[in-house]
Amino acid sequence: MANGRGRVKSRFVREGETMRNVWVAGATGLIGRELVARLLAETAAETHLFVRRAPDLQSPRLHVHVVDLMQPESWPQPPCDVAFNALGTTIRQAGSQAAFRAVDQDAVLNFARAAARAGAARFISVSAIGASPGALSFYSRVKGEVEQALADIGFAHLVLMQPSLLLGDRQEHRTGEQAATWLMRPLSPLMRGPLSAYRPVAGSDVAAAMVRLAGKPLRSPILRQRHDDIMALADTPA
């Protein structure tokens, strides 16, 4: 239900209530693949994937919805308690700044608003360290604008994952990330204090933290999670 300012009111899931239905966008990416595997292995939730192409996965609790991410009005509307966003690309991969915005901004916000209309009280989204609407970097600025727009939707709880460089096996080739990984790995142990937020982190650890945060009581309506927060949650037994 939207008000005059464009906010969508989400149903509030009471503390301790079972997470019955979850939505996932970006299920075929580095974080998304691990996220879906963990949701199926570690929770009893009905898991709804909103994807452009169906992944090679099977489970009685897995529901795959092949959709056009730019046309949310055509999507199915199963119930939703918690929604996870792992959509993301790079300007190089997308081909232009406009194409990058289409994925990292338009598709993300389409998914978030649809999830809110379906009743999602908690939205957990992969953003990036340095995200800010005032950032000089186009990438960081778009990430910051998306964070701001997500906050305006009105979820009871919004969790923003802000990793730095992501480690793991991607299905697509990202030359820049591979070079950065080679440079950052030996420096990571030296990055302490405020610099620890910029340490590389495995995509599997981000996914593990997201699943933990889905059922964790949260005091703040907006929570940002960086490297040390992510690692503390990833190391917590399921």
Side-chain angles (χ1 to χ4, degrees):
M1 178 177 169
N3 65 22
R5 297 180 60 187
R7 292 168 63 89
V8 181
K9 185 177 180 181
S10 297
R11 177 177 61 83
F12 181 74
V13 177
R14 295 185 301 276
E15 185 174 318
E17 185 174 333
T18 302
M19 180 175 65
R20 297 182 180 89
N21 295 277
V22 301
W23 287 18
V24 180
T28 60
L30 174 62
I31 294 174
R33 294 194 309 272
E34 182 72 19
L35 175 61
V36 173
R38 286 181 175 274
L39 286 169
L40 295 175
E42 299 175 11
T43 80
E46 298 294 317
T47 302
H48 296 267
L49 310 186
F50 289 76
V51 293
R52 289 175 291 185
R53 60 184 181 278
D56 186 18
L57 291 172
Q58 289 187 344
S59 168
R61 293 188 289 106
L62 185 67
H63 310 276
V64 178
H65 309 288
V66 178
V67 300
D68 183 339
L69 295 173
M70 296 297 111
Q71 295 185 348
E73 65 279 358
S74 67
W75 299 358
Q77 283 280 302
C80 181
D81 299 311
V82 180
F84 299 88
N85 166 57
L87 287 167
T89 187
T90 63
I91 297 173
R92 182 184 179 91
Q93 185 183 13
S96 68
Q97 290 187 347
F100 173 80
R101 274 193 185 275
V103 175
D104 276 59
Q105 184 174 57
D106 299 341
V108 170
L109 295 179
N110 285 344
F111 177 69
R113 290 169 182 143
R117 287 192 295 270
R122 188 170 298 194
F123 192 83
I124 303 174
S125 187
V126 178
S127 184
I129 191 68
S132 170
L136 294 177
S137 159
F138 175 79
Y139 178 89
S140 297
R141 186 164 66 252
V142 171
K143 292 291 189 182
E145 290 170 357
V146 171
E147 287 190 359
Q148 193 170 65
L150 289 173
D152 287 341
I153 290 175
F155 292 104
H157 295 287
L158 171 63
V159 182
L160 300 165
M161 312 301 291
Q162 293 188 326
S164 181
L165 181 67
L166 291 170
L167 306 176
D169 295 326
R170 293 189 182 274
Q171 292 180 333
E172 75 278 4
H173 183 69
R174 294 188 179 184
T175 304
E177 285 192 1
Q178 289 181 341
T181 298
W182 183 81
L183 290 171
M184 292 290 287
R185 278 188 186 274
L187 295 176
S188 183
L190 305 177
M191 302 172 77
R192 300 178 181 178
L195 291 178
S196 67
Y198 295 89
R199 287 180 177 176
V201 60
S204 58
D205 286 331
V206 178
M210 292 171 76
V211 174
R212 305 289 185 273
L213 286 161
K216 182 180 176 65
L218 302 177
R219 295 182 180 180
S220 173
I222 300 178
L223 182 67
R224 288 176 169 83
Q225 299 285 277
R226 296 174 179 169
H227 178 275
D228 291 352
D229 308 305
I230 291 168
M231 293 308 300
L233 286 163
D235 289 340
T236 303

